Amino acid sequence: MLLHHHLSTNPTSLKPEERGLRLIQLLLAGAAHVSSGNLSRADSCLHLISAMSSPSGDSMQRLSSILASSLATRLLRRRLPGLLSAVHPPRKPLKPLTFARTLPYIPFTHTATSRVLLRAIAHERNVHVVDLSAAAHSLDLWAPFLRTISRLPHGPPHLKLTCVSGDHHVLESLGTALVKEADSLDVPFRFHAVHSVLSELDLDTLRVHAGEALFFVSLFKLHELLAGEVERMNGLLLEQEAEHNSERMAERFVEGLHHYSALFDSVEAVAAMGAMGEEERREVEEMVGREIENIVACEGVERVERHEKTTKWVVRMERAGFRQGRFWGDAVEEGRRVVESWAGGFAVVVECGCLMICWHDKPLYSISAWHS
């Protein structure tokens, strides 16, 4: 009761640093009460968080608003699912392209992916790349890649690009743009669209043929398949550098609080530079907020955001028969230049053979290369 009384002091009298600390205390207490099923105390915490947080405040206020909403959604999903569906407003489609073009995380990955693939196909004449995470921003990876291979001294290889997506529009627009780009560069190119979500992908639809040098690229996707087996392949893997796959919600919540606090701080820094408008910031935070809600509010097959740290991925991939590839100096240095040109505070480090993009000293995303 003393702790609850301390947390209940007037939030309007707090300085930003004090408010941030108070919000962390309330969020952790609220998560514990939600996890234990103590509805009354959870409600009290959520009421206080709502008074101190704001979707238009500083980074901690914005994150707290999302986390509190996720805790409330979890309570309603488990106790009053009918009420949740009745009051939940229709959601606008997400705009992942905004995240890709206003923050350095995706451009960093595109740069590293391109560099690694260029080395891997150096002596290949028939290349098949499967992009398991095709999205609107994939054009920012594959169009420059086509331009780069068109300038190779020995000429470009024949490239077949298979893109997997559950969005027909994404596949159609990607195919049209990339075929046009390849034709203008005189690159032998074939685009193969596979309309499927990753969890339902039929490997026969990839149309892999003998004699092809086969590579897979996965950005923020492979964690959705942790319950299944990993196929043998050569590929690049980008994942959140976080531990969000615990069976206990409270543990996921604590890890998420650390991870997303750093991510939201990086968003705020980019916005403060004028490189991201308020509308773009809201779009980014809405996309990340859906991810957070899945981690906190969902269980079982509905919980698809099962992020794990690099150390676990290394063990899992090696057990599946993969060997870890290396990142050469050019991939590291060019990726570092991309990241550090965005804003002070971003950094690239190499750990466990993986490239990690950090906000200050907190790794947020990691990219690794594997071959069978």
Side-chain angles (χ1 to χ4, degrees):
M1 294 300 295
L2 289 176
L3 174 62
H4 186 265
H5 175 75
H6 175 64
L7 295 176
S8 303
T9 54
N10 185 4
T12 62
S13 64
L14 298 175
K15 296 178 180 179
E17 296 82 3
E18 295 173 324
R19 182 180 60 225
L21 179 60
R22 190 66 55 82
L23 280 169
I24 291 172
Q25 293 171 330
L26 283 167
L27 286 165
L28 293 175
H33 293 320
V34 169
S35 183
S36 67
N38 191 322
L39 184 60
S40 176
R41 291 194 175 185
D43 181 68
S44 296
C45 286
L46 292 174
H47 178 74
L48 290 168
I49 294 168
S50 297
M52 300 170 65
S53 62
S54 168
S56 59
D58 61 28
S59 61
M60 192 63 220
Q61 287 180 299
R62 290 173 184 239
L63 176 59
S64 298
S65 178
I66 291 171
L67 287 168
S69 175
S70 299
L71 288 172
T73 298
R74 181 181 177 89
L75 282 174
L76 290 175
R77 283 174 66 94
R78 296 170 73 88
R79 291 173 176 257
L80 300 167
L83 177 60
L84 176 63
S85 60
V87 302
H88 214 297
R91 289 179 163 178
K92 298 178 182 178
L94 294 176
K95 297 183 178 180
L97 195 59
T98 305
F99 181 90
R101 292 183 173 172
T102 59
L103 293 165
Y105 304 112
I106 299 297
F108 155 76
T109 306
H110 287 172
T111 298
T113 299
S114 181
R115 287 295 181 180
V116 171
L117 282 176
L118 285 172
R119 283 189 175 271
I121 69 172
H123 304 292
E124 304 289 350
R125 301 310 303 161
N126 194 16
V127 176
H128 185 181
V129 178
V130 179
D131 186 346
L132 297 173
S133 46
H137 62 72
S138 300
L139 186 64
D140 297 343
L141 168 60
W142 299 121
F145 185 74
L146 285 170
R147 292 193 286 271
T148 301
I149 64 174
S150 74
R151 299 190 295 267
L152 292 176
H154 53 277
H158 183 280
L159 175 64
K160 178 166 71 174
L161 176 63
T162 295
C163 286
V164 180
S165 174
D167 189 325
H168 270 300
H169 176 71
V170 164
L171 293 172
E172 183 178 350
S173 59
L174 268 179
T176 300
L178 291 174
V179 168
K180 181 179 180 180
E181 185 76 21
D183 287 345
S184 70
L185 297 167
D186 200 26
V187 171
F189 176 72
R190 181 185 173 192
F191 183 84
H192 174 44
V194 176
H195 182 246
S196 174
V197 295
L198 193 55
S199 59
E200 299 174 2
L201 179 63
D202 180 353
L203 294 180
D204 290 339
T205 63
L206 300 182
R207 299 179 188 172
V208 176
H209 301 299
E212 294 177 337
L214 181 62
F215 302 90
F216 286 74
V217 173
S218 172
L219 309 185
F220 305 127
K221 278 293 181 181
L222 211 57
H223 63 260
E224 296 178 8
L225 303 180
L226 284 180
E229 294 184 359
V230 181
E231 298 293 327
R232 294 180 65 83
M233 62 186 180
N234 301 308
L236 291 110
L237 166 67
L238 171 71
E239 285 293 338
Q240 289 85 346
E241 183 60 16
E243 186 57 62
H244 297 149
N245 198 24
S246 170
E247 289 301 313
R248 298 181 61 190
M249 183 279 288
E251 293 178 358
R252 302 197 302 268
F253 189 92
V254 172
E255 177 66 23
L257 180 58
H258 288 292
H259 178 83
Y260 291 107
S261 291
L263 179 59
F264 271 57
D265 284 347
S266 76
V267 171
E268 184 163 81
V270 171
M273 292 177 56
M276 177 191 296
E278 180 60 28
E279 182 62 28
E280 292 171 315
R281 183 174 181 179
R282 287 184 182 275
E283 290 171 2
V284 167
E285 291 170 347
E286 171 68 16
M287 190 191 83
V288 177
R290 303 268 185 98
E291 186 176 289
I292 293 171
E293 181 180 291
N294 187 265
I295 292 168
V296 173
C298 297
E299 296 294 350
V301 295
E302 294 181 328
R303 181 163 61 85
V304 297
E305 301 296 347
R306 295 173 172 266
H307 314 143
E308 292 189 347
K309 290 189 175 182
T310 295
T311 50
K312 286 191 175 181
W313 277 111
V314 168
V315 172
R316 177 174 286 106
M317 298 295 280
E318 288 178 346
R319 284 178 177 173
F322 294 95
R323 291 176 293 163
Q324 192 167 9
R326 65 175 295 185
F327 289 95
W328 300 86
D330 57 349
V332 177
E333 291 308 314
E334 188 168 349
R336 185 169 284 137
R337 283 195 296 272
V338 168
V339 167
E340 293 178 352
S341 68
W342 229 268
F346 291 107
V348 173
V349 299
V350 180
E351 290 185 15
C352 302
C354 305
L355 290 182
M356 296 191 183
I357 180 169
C358 308
W359 176 245
H360 294 287
D361 59 352
K362 174 66 175 176
L364 294 178
Y365 300 99
S366 64
I367 180 170
S368 57
W370 299 89
H371 58 91
S372 57

